[in-house]
Amino acid sequence: MSAAIRIQQVSKRFGATQALDRIDLEVRQGEFFGLLGPNGAGKTTLISALAGLVRADTGSLAVMGHDVQSDYRAARRHLGVVPQELVFDPFFTVRESLTIQSGYFGIRDNDNWIDEILENLGLASKANANMRMLSGGMKRRVLVAQALVHRPPVIVLDEPTAGVDVELRQTLWHFIRRLNEAGHTIVLTTHYLEEAENLCTRIAMLKAGRLVALDTTENLLRRFSAHSLRLRTGGVMPEQLTCDAAESGGWWSMPFDGFDEVEPLLARIRAAGCGIDDLEIGKPDLEEVFVRVMQGQPAETNELNAELR
Amino acid sequence: MSHGGFSTLFHKEVLRFWKVASQTVAAPVLTALLYLLIFSHVLEDHVRVHGVTYTAFLIPGLVMMAVLQNAFANSSSSLIQSRVTGNIVFVLLPPISYLEFFVAYVLASVVRGFVVGTGVLLATCWFAPLALVEPWWIVVFALMGGAILGSLGVIAGIWADKFDELAAFQNFLIMPLTFLSGVFYSINSLPPFWQQVSRWNPVFYMIDGFRHGFFGVSDESPWLSLAVVGACLALLTVFTLNLLKSGYKLRA
Ligand SMILES: Nc1ncnc2c1ncn2[C@@H]1O[C@H](COP(=O)(O)OP(=O)(O)OP(=O)(O)O)[C@@H](O)[C@H]1O
Ligand SMILES: [Mg+2]
């Protein structure tokens, strides 16, 4: 079975900016994959290269085994892209936009599927509204719908939830999850790390055009983020405890790996004569992973990547 | 199935101008009508060209000028709007080849040219008796001229990054070429130097050949015009196709 997406040694330079630097990445069929990175990391450039909107300087990209240059027709038929920019054609209504988009893929009589998409994205009541009349969030929904008209096995969403209300987020993720369960491969970029953490089974992180992390969400959380004991104390913390801990705003945060470490930790604090005013358990989260990866503990990330190649 | 993209793109491009026909069809027809009223009022009693009245001479010129200018306007404005607003991605993401892209935009431009040209003809033909001596020339030159200006529109719409750059292309290239092409006069009435200059203007041959279809007489042989216009079309087609194939400004 060919990979849903195969990216090999892809580099792209815009003038002085190295937007992509020898990216190697494979997304398997059926995955829910996250592509993360700070602004300007190269996420959109990578997606554009995959979609044929940008030509990579070196390397090759393939969608479902079809090279995006030499076999572009098949590659594009298998790919649905939701662009980051909120674009629309002001000449047409929602339904016209979707019918035209279907036609570009050679699909006639697509009304049943279009109706289903409209229904699932909460757009049914806007079907005959002109694109100009829609609110930003509604336009975003149409953009998602346009990416799906040809039932692409691989769906790439470039920040689909930027500037979108809670309701759409929920309907959107519900729908995208269903598509994923039905076998579609999903690639998502977002700056809402909680979203990525909940949805994606595997995550790649880009930084300044380079791939700096690639692993399952679970492994990333385990490696780069731990549970932590967070507490506020009246007394002075003993030194042998503070070397592992971080303090901010009166709260101490002490990472631990297993819950059986909690009691001894508390016992030592008690033994030091420190009263505990407040206490909570912090869960590992992707935000911490992200921050640590971006701050670059190079040894760790290199090791991680080497392992995954 | 694989060639559905072309017909949809063509259809969309036609729909795009048809939806705003008051601007894209009615307005240029009105402009041409105003030209006719003013120029024929001033010159009707003073000038005869190729043995016909000035008004009769002017009408085919105005029709062809409308065909050409609107063919250019269609592809260029559609492309620059799509590029500036970013919705060009809807056309770039699907499996549409650069050849299909080219033909769809140019053909839609030709359709716009024909629609406006027909409108101008219908609006103006009441003002002078018109013959259709060799009508196939009319069709051939309208088709080729429309395709040439449609291709130029594709080039301009892709080259220009802003609307004022497109306006410059239009004002400094397209307008002079179409106005100084013998729409309003026979080049035989010009001093020899300007006659020679006019012969370097390909639009002159488009108008002259087109007009030949009406009267059966013209400044040049329609076969010469056909050769010149055909060569221009071939050259421009090759150039535009290469531009699109290279991905210039469309696929960075
Ligand atoms: N067409 C272009 N011309 C010049 N530079 C570009 C172009 N497109 C992207 N860049 C540059 O390439 C780098 C990567 O940009 P890209 O849009 O891929 O980042 P991103 O990860 O998607 O960021 P964001 O999270 O802000 O969307 C940036 O430095 C950007 O300025
Ligand atoms: Mg981006």
Side-chain angles (χ1 to χ4, degrees):
Chain A
M1 198 162 75
S2 58
I5 294 173
R6 202 195 60 234
I7 296 170
Q8 287 177 316
Q9 287 292 303
V10 165
S11 296
K12 177 70 188 179
R13 176 179 276 284
F14 292 111
T17 313
Q18 190 72 45
L20 295 173
D21 190 3
R22 285 162 292 150
I23 303 286
D24 276 305
L25 187 62
E26 213 168 281
V27 178
R28 291 185 283 272
Q29 288 186 29
E31 274 197 284
F32 206 127
F33 191 90
L35 185 60
L36 306 182
N39 293 134
K43 305 177 295 294
T44 300
T45 306
L46 190 60
I47 292 169
S48 302
L50 195 65
L53 300 174
V54 153
R55 285 182 185 167
D57 298 334
T58 64
S60 68
L61 305 96
V63 180
M64 300 294 277
H66 303 285
D67 187 89
V68 303
Q69 292 293 336
S70 61
D71 193 9
Y72 71 91
R73 279 190 194 269
R76 290 187 205 164
R77 252 198 295 279
H78 287 95
L79 182 69
V81 175
V82 181
Q84 177 175 4
E85 302 292 334
L86 197 57
V87 294
F88 62 96
D89 194 327
F91 284 92
F92 300 108
T93 67
V94 174
R95 184 178 290 282
E96 284 170 339
S97 298
L98 297 179
T99 307
I100 289 170
Q101 204 62 26
S102 306
Y104 289 161
F105 285 90
I107 305 168
R108 305 267 179 279
D109 309 321
N110 204 21
D111 283 343
N112 290 340
W113 176 236
I114 288 176
D115 284 334
E116 197 176 329
I117 301 175
L118 289 173
E119 194 61 48
N120 275 292
L121 289 171
L123 277 168
S125 64
K126 304 281 182 199
N128 297 314
N130 188 284
M131 287 302 301
R132 264 173 310 192
M133 306 302 170
L134 299 187
S135 70
M138 286 292 169
K139 287 190 186 112
R140 178 75 67 187
R141 295 180 200 212
V142 179
L143 217 46
V144 176
Q146 278 176 287
L148 301 178
V149 287
H150 57 298
R151 302 178 194 251
V154 181
I155 302 164
V156 180
L157 303 110
D158 197 350
E159 295 189 39
T161 47
V164 146
D165 70 16
V166 184
E167 195 200 329
L168 169 58
R169 266 187 222 198
Q170 284 175 350
T171 30
L172 180 64
W173 293 135
H174 182 77
F175 187 35
I176 297 295
R177 265 208 165 110
R178 259 186 43 205
L179 290 170
N180 182 236
E181 278 155 18
H184 295 260
T185 308
I186 312 289
V187 174
L188 161 73
T189 85
T190 180
H191 290 291
Y192 302 106
L193 298 174
E194 218 171 299
E195 230 167 38
E197 187 179 328
N198 291 332
L199 292 161
C200 302
T201 47
R202 229 154 53 94
I203 284 174
M205 292 190 190
L206 289 182
K207 179 186 174 184
R210 310 192 58 164
L211 190 69
V212 289
L214 173 65
D215 207 339
T216 61
T217 313
E218 213 179 301
N219 283 346
L220 283 172
L221 288 170
R222 208 172 30 232
R223 291 242 185 182
F224 290 95
S225 178
H227 278 93
S228 62
L229 193 64
R230 292 170 37 79
L231 53 85
R232 219 146 47 89
T233 159
V236 178
M237 289 278 279
E239 208 163 296
Q240 75 265 38
L241 283 175
T242 57
C243 56
D244 264 356
E247 196 255 14
S248 84
W251 283 85
W252 285 93
S253 175
M254 276 168 278
F256 63 86
D257 294 323
F259 286 101
D260 48 0
E261 292 173 26
V262 176
E263 282 189 319
L265 208 57
L266 288 172
R268 286 167 74 188
I269 294 168
R270 225 179 6 253
C274 257
I276 293 174
D277 294 341
D278 204 348
L279 178 124
E280 60 184 34
I281 302 270
K283 284 185 177 301
D285 69 8
L286 200 56
E287 191 158 326
E288 192 186 347
V289 177
F290 187 83
V291 169
R292 286 187 57 195
V293 170
M294 290 309 146
Q295 281 166 353
Q297 272 103 4
E300 270 178 279
T301 51
N302 283 343
E303 179 196 330
L304 187 72
N305 287 332
E307 193 178 295
L308 276 145
R309 282 230 173 92
Chain B
M1 153 143 189
S2 74
H3 289 281
F6 159 74
S7 58
T8 303
L9 182 55
F10 167 64
H11 186 221
K12 184 217 96 176
E13 280 301 296
V14 171
L15 211 59
R16 192 196 70 92
F17 81 77
W18 192 248
K19 280 203 168 203
V20 285
S22 62
Q23 294 165 46
T24 55
V25 179
V29 170
L30 182 66
T31 308
L33 191 58
L34 292 175
Y35 276 129
L36 182 84
L37 294 176
I38 294 164
F39 279 87
S40 64
H41 172 75
V42 176
L43 295 172
E44 176 68 9
D45 301 334
H46 308 284
V47 186
R48 281 183 80 81
V49 196
H50 296 314
V52 299
T53 65
Y54 180 72
T55 308
F57 171 84
L58 181 59
I59 288 172
L62 287 174
V63 172
M64 189 56 168
M65 188 168 78
V67 170
L68 301 177
Q69 288 182 347
N70 283 280
F72 177 82
N74 206 61
S75 49
S76 63
S77 64
S78 174
L79 277 167
I80 193 148
Q81 274 176 25
S82 288
R83 286 182 51 241
V84 167
T85 59
N87 67 38
I88 190 83
V89 294
F90 298 142
V91 180
L92 297 178
L93 290 172
I96 295 173
S97 69
Y98 68 91
L99 185 65
E100 291 173 290
F101 183 99
F102 172 77
V103 180
Y105 275 94
V106 170
L107 218 53
S109 293
V110 171
V111 171
R112 160 101 168 259
F114 267 62
V115 171
V116 177
T118 307
V120 172
L121 190 60
L122 290 177
T124 54
C125 64
W126 314 100
F127 295 87
L130 278 182
L132 293 172
V133 177
E134 293 170 18
W136 55 90
W137 289 123
I138 298 177
V139 177
V140 165
F141 281 100
L143 200 68
M144 291 171 76
I148 287 174
L149 273 286
S151 301
L152 277 173
V154 170
I155 295 169
I158 290 173
W159 166 78
D161 291 322
K162 289 178 261 156
F163 287 98
D164 52 343
E165 284 172 3
L166 179 60
F169 196 102
Q170 193 152 16
N171 293 331
F172 292 105
L173 189 69
I174 304 300
M175 292 302 252
L177 283 181
T178 48
F179 271 96
L180 302 178
S181 61
V183 170
F184 298 98
Y185 48 81
S186 158
I187 63 162
N188 288 333
S189 63
L190 294 176
F193 173 75
W194 289 108
Q195 281 191 33
Q196 281 315 307
V197 171
S198 297
R199 286 197 160 81
W200 286 99
N201 178 1
V203 181
F204 158 71
Y205 297 92
M206 299 178 203
I207 305 250
D208 200 54
F210 183 78
R211 195 176 264 139
H212 187 92
F214 286 84
F215 307 122
V217 280
S218 48
D219 292 347
E220 287 291 352
S221 148
W223 293 102
L224 174 68
S225 296
L226 184 68
V228 172
V229 173
C232 284
L233 179 58
L235 253 147
L236 213 55
T237 301
V238 170
F239 179 82
T240 316
L241 283 175
N242 274 300
L243 190 77
L244 291 172
K245 190 178 176 192
S246 77
Y248 176 71
K249 292 206 183 178
L250 290 180
R251 302 184 192 271

